[in-house]
Amino acid sequence: MSLIGIIASQNYPRSFTVDYLVIAGGGGAGFIGGGGGAGGYRCSVSGENSGGGSSAESSLTLAPSTNYTVTIGGGGTGGVSGTGATTGVDSVFSTITSSGGGTGGSAGATFNGGNGGSGGGAKRDGGTGGTGTANQGTNGGTTPNGDFRGASGGGGASTAGGGGTGGNANNETGGNGGNGIASSITGSSVTRGGGGGGYVEGANATPGTGGSGGGGNGQKQSNSGSAGTVNTGGGGGGGNPSGGNGGSGVVILRYPSSITITIGAGLTGTESAASGGYKRATITAGSGNVSWS
Amino acid sequence: MAYYAFLDENNVVTEVIKGIDETELIEGLDTETWYGNLRGQVCKRTSYWTKGGVHYGDDGSPAFRKNYAGIGYNFDGIGFFAPQPYPSWNLDPDTYYWMPPVPMPTEGDWYWDEETLSWIQYE
């Protein structure tokens, strides 16, 4: 190898390791219905967790001066009368795709929660929660059959959605959304990926609260559900006349401080200053390419 | 920030992303054109806070294209709307919601029976 080649190989490694946190958009909540499931949660930071109680995944080994795709999925649409909610949208980094959160079940439309990264909660007065994707999320809550049973919560990245309960208008409770997962990939701990809370009907009843990490709160009577928090993948909260929309996803990357990311056209993101031997890039919007040099 | 829906050849939404604000240009192109070129699909901006032809956000923006788009929604050049749930239901021109021939009762739990064109209560 020539002297120039030796210098080049020392300054520009042929490969490097990137840790990632990829969260999809949260699911929309149901009309008089269940909370939306959190967007799929995939993480490679050692010592942390991916969704559904799974261990962190393997880091990616990437090459410099090579384009890698990033897409930030939007949240799903909350359901309205006669129309069910829609699933959250996948987020992507390179070969890693996190699945959009499942829909909350809606009265008069799709009664059961939908499958997704985390499953959506069942509608009020009976229904089955949706199933979460393995290693990405948990299941939505199930509502027992009968009048005055609150709608169930959507699954969170860490814990499943709660089931609605009750028996009369006063003691009806909506299921709480499942909780999200805390990650310190940015250097400080932030919880993301909460499920949405379920709706209830009675004036003195208690709707479900959104799970930690951006899940939207369920509502009661004639109040639309709360939206999941932007860039957390939180599921929407159940409501009337509309379920809440899911929150959008996010992609966060951690890599050696010796290299610098280029966030390409069509993307919105920032790179932090080096700390602890790493730089971090948080990408909050768009679709396009990133590369390193 | 803004949201964008990608359409297939039948104007059905296949994907919704959170993207760059619509007031910005990307490599000299408006955002819909740039994202559309990236995917090789028609791309249309959609408003996260618009539902039923009304804007619910606190930013003072007007309603835009009737409804926030979801996967499977249709776009007719004016607004986004969900798939038609039953043949007898009609699209309301203001809200772009599907309306049944008979309103759903407000008390109890009901489902629509297309054969009898009526609501049936769950037991």
Side-chain angles (χ1 to χ4, degrees), chain A residues 31-32 71-84 86-90 107-108 111 123-125 201 227-228 230-231 242-249 265-268 284-288, chain B residues 1-3 6 14-21 24 26-27 34-35 38-39 47-51 68-73 82-83 85-86 89 97-98 100 104 106-112 119 121-122:
Chain A
F31 160 70
I32 309 184
T71 295
I72 306 301
T77 306
V80 297
S81 179
T83 299
T86 65
T87 59
V89 181
D90 297 353
F111 312 122
K123 74 169 183 66
R124 183 171 170 269
D125 295 341
E201 181 63 35
V230 65
N231 291 134
S242 174
N245 294 337
S248 56
L267 294 170
T268 297
T284 57
S287 186
Chain B
M1 295 298 169
Y3 290 79
F6 295 97
T14 61
E15 183 182 16
V16 179
I17 66 167
K18 183 184 175 207
I20 285 178
D21 193 275
E24 299 180 27
I26 308 176
E27 296 179 326
W34 194 91
Y35 284 127
L38 179 71
R39 283 284 193 281
S47 167
Y48 184 82
W49 293 111
T50 295
K51 287 198 171 196
Y68 175 54
I71 291 177
Y73 273 36
Y86 300 99
W89 290 33
Y97 287 162
W98 291 102
M104 186 173 77
T106 56
E107 297 294 329
D109 199 13
W110 305 79
Y111 68 92
W112 177 254
W119 291 96
Q121 188 165 22
Y122 278 100

Side-chain angles (χ1 to χ4, degrees), chain A:
Chain A
M1 182 179 292
S2 68
L3 179 59
I4 294 175
I6 292 171
I7 294 171
S9 66
Q10 288 174 339
N11 289 340
Y12 301 100
R14 292 196 180 104
S15 64
F16 55 92
T17 299
V18 174
D19 283 316
Y20 55 83
L21 173 59
V22 180
I23 304 176
F31 160 70
I32 309 184
Y41 187 107
R42 299 184 65 176
C43 178
S44 72
V45 177
S46 178
E48 296 189 357
N49 289 102
S50 280
S54 62
S55 301
E57 302 185 48
S58 299
S59 304
L60 292 181
T61 300
L62 305 181
S65 303
T66 302
N67 284 332
Y68 297 96
T69 299
V70 173
T71 295
I72 306 301
T77 306
V80 297
S81 179
T83 299
T86 65
T87 59
V89 181
D90 297 353
S91 289
V92 178
F93 166 57
S94 183
T95 57
I96 304 299
T97 298
S98 291
S99 299
T103 56
S106 284
T110 52
F111 312 122
N112 298 324
N115 301 334
S118 284
K123 74 169 183 66
R124 183 171 170 269
D125 295 341
T128 303
T131 302
T133 302
N135 304 321
Q136 296 193 31
T138 65
N139 297 339
T142 290
T143 307
N145 291 324
D147 293 338
F148 294 107
R149 268 69 176 184
S152 293
S158 175
T159 61
T165 64
N168 63 61
N170 291 324
N171 68 7
E172 184 183 20
T173 64
N176 294 332
N179 290 327
I181 297 176
S183 173
S184 297
I185 188 171
T186 60
S188 59
S189 180
V190 178
T191 300
R192 305 175 182 85
Y199 170 87
V200 292
E201 181 63 35
N204 297 315
T206 306
T209 58
S212 63
N217 290 331
Q219 301 293 336
K220 63 183 178 182
Q221 297 199 296
S222 298
N223 291 289
S224 290
S226 301
T229 303
V230 65
N231 291 134
T232 68
N240 176 16
S242 174
N245 294 337
S248 56
V250 69
V251 171
I252 302 174
L253 307 171
R254 187 179 77 172
Y255 41 91
S257 58
S258 58
I259 57 177
T260 296
I261 194 170
T262 297
I263 298 171
L267 294 170
T268 297
T270 57
E271 182 183 56
S272 67
S275 175
Y278 297 106
K279 291 178 182 174
R280 288 96 168 167
T282 299
I283 301 171
T284 57
S287 186
N289 293 316
V290 297
S291 62
W292 284 267
S293 58

